[in-house]
Amino acid sequence: MRRWGVAVRGIGYGGDYNPEQWPESTWAEDVRLMAEAGVNLVTVGVFSWSRLQPAPGELTAGWLDRVLDLLAAAGIGVDLGTGTATPPPWLVAAHREILPVTADGRRLAPGSRQHYCPSAPAFRAAAVDLAERMARRYSGHPALAMWHVSNEYGCHVPACYCERSAEAFRDWLRARYGQLDRLNAAWGGAVWSQDYTSWDQVEPPRATPTFANPAQQLDFARFSSGELLACYLAEREAVARHSPAIPVTTNFMGLFRPVDQFRWAAELDVASVDSYPDPADPESYLLSAMTCDLTRSVGGGRPWVLMEQAPNAVNWRAVNVPKAPGQYRALSLQAVARGGDAVLSFQWRAAATGAEKFHSGMLPHAGTDSRVWREVTGLGADLGRLAPVAGSRVQAEVAMLLDWESWWALEADSHPSHLRLTELLLEFYRPLFEAGVNTDFAHPESDLLGYRLVLVPALYLVSEAGADNVRQFTSSGGTTAISFFSGIVDPEDRIRLGGYPAPWRELLGLRVQDLAPLPEGAVVRLDGAAGPGSAGRLWQDVIDLRGADPLLRYAEGHLAGQAAVTRHPYGRGVAFYLGTLPDRETLRGLVRQACESAGVTVRSDVPPGVEAVRRGDHLFVISHLDRPVELDLGGKSLDLLTSDIVGPAVMLGPRGVLVLTVRD
Ligand code: GLA
Ligand code: GLA
């Protein structure tokens, strides 16, 4: 990673700043209030194309010069947008063909944002031209801390199905398969009369009479993620040419299916993410914790940026519940605990006009005499005290395997059941979170040898290399826990035959003879060491034991008496298999058992709703509860936020946070 630029010391704090939406007379007040809140980093220019370039050619950027000068004078760094997230009306008028087309053939109109086809040459050329002009003008500006290319790639238009995209897809397929008969073989052309005899017959998976060819869908997902990435890369080249020392990022969206973050993150200098947990969801802190861990993981464990969150409510859900008092702070400090080195919001000043005027801002419509503003200044002060944490790493002994290609294939049509990967990841993540166990997400082909425990939730598609990697990890002493519907197909979405999961039968000491998903909402009782009351949900595998020990058996139905969850020694390690999704309590016990078998320390001193995360020499203890909670810290420690010595007994207030200095 290139260093962040001199403007940001300690933990970054700020938000999207859209001064072009306000009269220039408010700018001085903005900067004064930013200083009051401890803001040291703002994102500028993300949606400014029509103001930066009202017509093709030169920038009309005097206003932006003045904004950046003001910020630089106040010591505030700028994460500068390339401005290309939404094409301006003149570009659309000159090139209607840049408007994206949906799978059912509708051309989307301008009037909101992100209305571009990523494969459209006119769009790409205009975007690179703007990025280049921005870089030429601002690469030497003292406020410039980081480049922010486009915005939330794929958020509204993850793929385009227009004729130009179809041509680009065909080129991509030609490069991948070379020969048409290779494509026909990979896509199973013999099924449903789909053998192509010429490349120009091949189309994107547009709206069809019934479910489309899943291999075609998978390739189109690969292609579409790649087309967006090509847009990013072209802009990145343009800015990096002018400012090679300035880090370049684009903001990811957490567990967002269209964009393959492992592939993308390799092209970023610093990973960044937008995180909008729903305050109406009592467990929203779990999803946001996963988002943080994912961003750290795709960024190779290096410090990352929380690029956006809402200081209070958003405007884009059906009902937009505000954050509870203290929730903005607790979730911000969660991001720092999980390796974030900057905490930014959308947006600095709540808008008075346009589509996002009911989205909260750090400076609300009500002004500074407001709860939100008091929380904003309070958090700024907290983050100032956390400067010693900046740059430190989060060590994880546990990894969950995640592969976007498998995700795309898993959620294609015509499968035994509608598994949703995010929900499954959350099920396996919850007990780790509760036990204060740091968890990374890892690509199946990445180096796993630094972990003790690897979880494999519904890794439907796996390459030879990935399958072998899991075997090697286990045989060399690791503990592995694999769930149902893993290792089912190869990268061409072709079933691996002979009993599931073919690449891991020997590892697991079993074969799955048949898949037996449960009807929605149904449960099946389970027997075994977990005690009475255990149940399976979602799925049942019909398991033939080939050496594995059953830990739980089905207790009713056709499969009564047969193994549901197993354990098998393999080489110097151990492999667990879950042929069903156990209820939360049972899963908690199994995950703890796997942790213990792996030598991973689990905490039992963390009450529900409280999170404990170790980052470097600090232990973050964060309550997500709206009532006080008593903790036993097991000793006395220094709290970085208050400089008090606390413990062993502590009463943590509603959504209270401690950042304890740990010596070991
Ligand atoms: C996204 C976008 C921002 C803004 C926020 C609102 O994260 O990147 O421009 O629209 O959503 O929540
Ligand atoms: C999506 C994204 C958010 C935000 C909204 C509003 O839902 O997840 O980050 O951008 O759109 O446009």
Side-chain angles (χ1 to χ4, degrees):
M1 182 175 80
R2 283 173 263 193
R3 204 29 220 168
W4 266 52
V6 285
V8 184
R9 286 210 190 81
I11 303 288
Y13 185 44
D16 277 67
Y17 178 37
N18 296 307
E20 70 273 36
Q21 298 179 12
W22 296 92
E24 196 157 340
S25 55
T26 57
W27 299 354
E29 184 192 42
D30 285 328
V31 172
R32 178 175 63 75
L33 291 174
M34 285 176 191
E36 187 178 317
V39 164
N40 57 12
L41 181 64
V42 293
T43 302
V44 178
V46 173
F47 290 97
S48 309
W49 197 339
S50 69
R51 282 285 161 103
L52 286 168
Q53 211 180 21
E58 280 311 296
L59 288 186
T60 306
W63 67 271
L64 185 54
D65 297 350
R66 295 195 293 283
V67 169
L68 295 197
D69 291 349
L70 269 176
L71 292 166
I76 298 169
V78 170
D79 165 47
L80 187 57
T82 55
T84 57
T86 289
W90 60 259
L91 181 57
V92 176
H95 293 281
R96 288 303 283 184
E97 80 280 4
I98 72 167
L99 292 172
V101 172
T102 60
D104 58 2
R106 277 180 309 123
R107 196 170 277 280
L108 298 176
S112 68
R113 63 176 178 180
Q114 210 175 73
H115 40 267
Y116 61 84
C117 159
S119 306
F123 170 72
R124 285 203 191 176
V128 169
D129 173 70
L130 178 60
E132 170 94 46
R133 288 175 194 277
M134 290 289 282
R136 222 181 291 139
R137 187 163 185 126
Y138 294 112
S139 60
H141 199 284
L144 182 66
M146 174 157 69
W147 284 109
H148 183 109
V149 174
S150 191
N151 193 63
E152 288 193 338
Y153 274 102
C155 171
H156 308 296
V157 182
C160 175
Y161 296 76
C162 74
E163 262 319 303
R164 182 66 194 84
S165 297
E167 276 169 35
F169 184 41
R170 285 190 281 269
D171 291 342
W172 184 91
L173 291 168
R174 244 187 238 113
R176 183 176 176 87
Y177 294 106
Q179 314 277 338
L180 206 48
D181 49 1
R182 280 277 303 115
L183 172 99
N184 285 328
W187 285 14
V191 178
W192 288 4
S193 181
Q194 289 177 7
D195 287 308
Y196 298 100
T197 53
S198 143
W199 287 100
D200 54 18
Q201 297 161 0
V202 183
E203 297 189 35
R206 294 173 167 137
T208 45
T210 182
F211 33 86
N213 183 323
Q216 179 187 8
Q217 288 178 322
L218 173 58
D219 272 342
F220 192 63
R222 289 177 171 128
F223 160 79
S224 297
S225 175
E227 285 299 274
L228 290 170
L229 179 56
C231 291
Y232 165 80
L233 288 174
E235 287 194 38
R236 187 195 68 179
E237 296 321 319
V239 295
R241 219 176 9 254
H242 293 278
S243 51
I246 300 291
V248 182
T249 192
T250 185
N251 44 346
F252 290 140
M253 294 168 61
L255 282 157
F256 176 64
R257 202 166 75 113
V259 166
D260 180 348
Q261 281 177 38
F262 283 114
R263 205 164 276 248
W264 279 63
E267 309 293 348
L268 269 51
D269 296 316
V270 55
S272 67
V273 72
D274 299 349
S275 177
Y276 289 98
D278 185 354
D281 168 6
E283 271 194 346
S284 62
Y285 57 86
L286 259 184
L287 193 63
S288 59
M290 277 211 302
T291 301
C292 295
D293 291 350
L294 174 64
T295 309
R296 178 187 70 246
S297 301
V298 298
R302 294 171 305 199
W304 53 275
V305 175
L306 176 59
M307 187 62 85
E308 293 181 25
Q309 62 171 337
N312 196 21
V314 300
N315 65 312
W316 42 265
R317 293 193 170 97
V319 177
N320 298 295
V321 172
K323 282 192 160 131
Q327 201 167 20
Y328 166 64
R329 176 178 188 257
L331 293 174
S332 297
L333 297 181
Q334 175 186 66
V336 179
R338 292 175 183 277
D341 261 5
V343 173
L344 278 65
S345 284
F346 184 86
Q347 62 179 318
W348 163 250
R349 189 186 272 271
T353 57
E356 301 193 291
K357 60 182 172 295
F358 290 108
H359 194 292
S360 58
M362 296 167 77
L363 182 57
H365 293 155
T368 53
D369 184 9
S370 58
R371 168 177 74 85
V372 168
W373 178 253
R374 284 186 283 277
E375 291 201 20
V376 162
T377 53
L379 178 62
D382 286 331
L383 294 174
R385 293 182 198 107
L386 295 187
V389 175
S392 63
R393 298 289 184 106
V394 174
Q395 301 297 339
E397 293 177 333
V398 179
M400 275 212 234
L401 297 194
L402 172 65
D403 174 13
W404 261 262
E405 302 210 352
S406 178
W407 190 0
W408 294 327
L410 174 76
E411 294 186 7
D413 297 334
S414 63
H415 278 179
S417 182
H418 284 281
L419 298 180
R420 288 287 162 260
L421 186 66
T422 305
E423 290 165 22
L424 286 171
L425 293 175
L426 200 60
E427 289 294 337
F428 287 89
Y429 184 83
R430 181 182 292 106
L432 295 164
F433 176 97
E434 290 171 345
V437 173
N438 288 346
T439 303
D440 283 347
F441 289 86
H443 188 276
E445 292 175 22
S446 66
D447 181 5
L448 301 175
L449 293 176
Y451 299 107
R452 290 172 184 270
L453 172 64
V454 166
L455 300 183
V456 187
L459 188 71
Y460 166 71
L461 173 154
V462 70
S463 64
E464 288 306 331
D468 190 48
N469 200 27
V470 172
R471 285 192 300 259
Q472 296 232 358
F473 165 76
T474 319
S475 68
S476 61
T479 300
T480 303
I482 299 181
S483 92
F484 55 88
F485 219 43
S486 295
I488 304 292
V489 297
D490 70 12
E492 294 185 346
D493 198 33
R494 177 184 300 270
I495 301 277
R496 296 174 176 282
L497 301 174
Y500 320 109
W504 293 323
R505 289 190 301 244
E506 208 189 305
L507 164 73
L508 295 166
L510 55 76
R511 75 194 271 259
V512 172
Q513 190 190 128
D514 204 1
L515 311 172
L518 288 160
E520 221 176 295
V523 295
V524 56
R525 280 191 296 113
L526 301 172
D527 269 347
S534 290
R537 300 170 275 162
L538 220 59
W539 194 275
Q540 300 177 102
D541 276 328
V542 183
I543 295 176
D544 297 333
L545 295 175
R546 297 274 197 270
D549 299 320
L551 298 179
L552 292 170
R553 293 177 184 273
Y554 301 111
E556 61 184 335
H558 298 301
L559 301 177
Q562 297 196 34
V565 174
T566 65
R567 179 183 183 281
H568 185 240
Y570 182 78
R572 290 191 280 129
V574 175
F576 290 84
Y577 186 70
L578 289 87
T580 184
L581 179 65
D583 66 89
R584 286 190 184 167
E585 192 50 44
T586 305
L587 186 57
R588 187 175 294 133
L590 287 166
V591 169
R592 278 180 181 260
Q593 185 180 347
C595 284
E596 274 153 28
S597 142
V600 172
T601 315
V602 297
R603 309 185 72 104
S604 42
D605 56 351
V606 192
V610 176
E611 101 184 71
V613 185
R614 175 84 183 259
R615 175 177 179 185
D617 296 330
H618 296 93
L619 177 70
F620 286 68
V621 182
I622 305 171
S623 169
H624 298 286
L625 302 169
D626 51 18
R627 53 173 196 282
V629 60
E630 208 180 325
L631 300 173
D632 177 4
L633 303 177
K636 290 191 181 300
S637 317
L638 173 69
D639 174 19
L640 207 52
L641 290 172
T642 55
S643 301
D644 290 339
I645 303 287
V646 295
V650 179
M651 190 58 112
L652 196 56
R655 299 201 165 74
V657 182
L658 299 169
V659 182
L660 305 173
T661 308
V662 191
R663 267 174 252 103
D664 51 11

